[in-house]
Amino acid sequence: MKRWIWWSIVGVIVAVCFIGFGLTKKVETDKIYQNAFDSGQSYLNDGNYRDAKIAFQDALKKRPNDQKATAHLKQVTLYEQGLAQIDQRAYTKAKATFNKTEQVKDGSPLLNKRAIEKQVELKEVSVQRANFAKAYKKAASLTKNYEYTSSNTQLAVILGY
């Protein structure tokens, strides 16, 4: 009988140790996840998208199926693609990419706002680009006809914008 009690006590102590270790590990993992996610948010606020992307990837290493971190990572990736497309002067593609960025469910409200702003900006660029092309074409025509003052006035419209 004494052996049975002894082994029961040892079993309970071992079980408590394993349960305590498991809970401690979970708390530590949650803390690391939250720190990485918060760092990602901070980098987003600063406009540092590369580091935000790395921080969200780190958060996903601790919680691989986390929908919030996955959405933020996807959104940052799309936003970076849109910025790269602007640099390549692929404005139509960039506008579509920013639209996708805005549509990501459970993403960052800040990136949603920035994506909307970029879409508005690109829409204005598209309209103005057509106007500038017309003004430039007219200025070139005036220059061929030796009407330099009028040509410069047309170019001033473009440069003034």
Side-chain angles (χ1 to χ4, degrees):
M1 188 73 169
K2 288 183 181 183
R3 267 191 191 167
W4 181 82
I5 293 173
W6 172 253
W7 285 111
S8 295
I9 292 172
V10 169
V12 168
I13 291 171
V14 169
V16 167
C17 288
F18 278 112
I19 290 170
F21 176 75
L23 288 175
T24 303
K25 191 70 172 166
K26 183 181 180 338
V27 168
E28 180 184 342
T29 299
D30 288 347
K31 185 176 179 182
I32 293 170
Y33 164 82
Q34 196 59 48
N35 286 341
F37 191 85
D38 291 345
S39 292
Q41 291 282 47
S42 178
Y43 289 131
L44 281 182
N45 291 339
D46 297 341
N48 187 346
Y49 303 113
R50 186 181 64 81
D51 287 342
K53 195 172 171 182
I54 292 168
F56 291 131
Q57 288 170 342
D58 290 344
L60 281 170
K61 287 177 186 174
K62 292 299 174 184
R63 284 191 197 164
N65 297 325
D66 185 66
Q67 186 174 356
K68 194 174 178 183
T70 302
H72 279 65
L73 178 61
K74 181 178 180 181
Q75 208 174 25
V76 170
T77 303
L78 285 169
Y79 194 82
E80 279 188 317
Q81 286 175 359
L83 293 176
Q85 290 165 342
I86 288 174
D87 290 343
Q88 297 166 357
R89 299 176 194 243
Y91 301 119
T92 306
K93 286 182 181 179
K95 189 174 176 185
T97 303
F98 288 125
N99 187 35
K100 288 179 190 175
T101 303
E102 177 196 353
Q103 300 301 322
V104 173
K105 185 180 176 186
D106 294 330
S108 166
L110 178 64
L111 276 184
N112 283 343
K113 180 183 171 199
R114 288 180 183 170
I116 291 169
E117 289 171 355
K118 286 292 184 185
Q119 289 177 66
V120 169
E121 183 180 326
L122 287 169
K123 184 177 181 180
E124 185 178 336
V125 164
S126 297
V127 170
Q128 291 301 331
R129 191 170 180 194
N131 292 339
F132 292 160
K134 287 179 189 176
Y136 182 77
K137 195 173 191 179
K138 190 171 182 179
S141 172
L142 290 168
T143 300
K144 286 181 183 177
N145 295 330
Y146 304 106
E147 298 177 37
Y148 300 116
T149 304
S150 297
S151 174
N152 288 342
T153 303
Q154 290 295 316
L155 293 175
V157 170
I158 296 171
L159 297 174
Y161 186 80

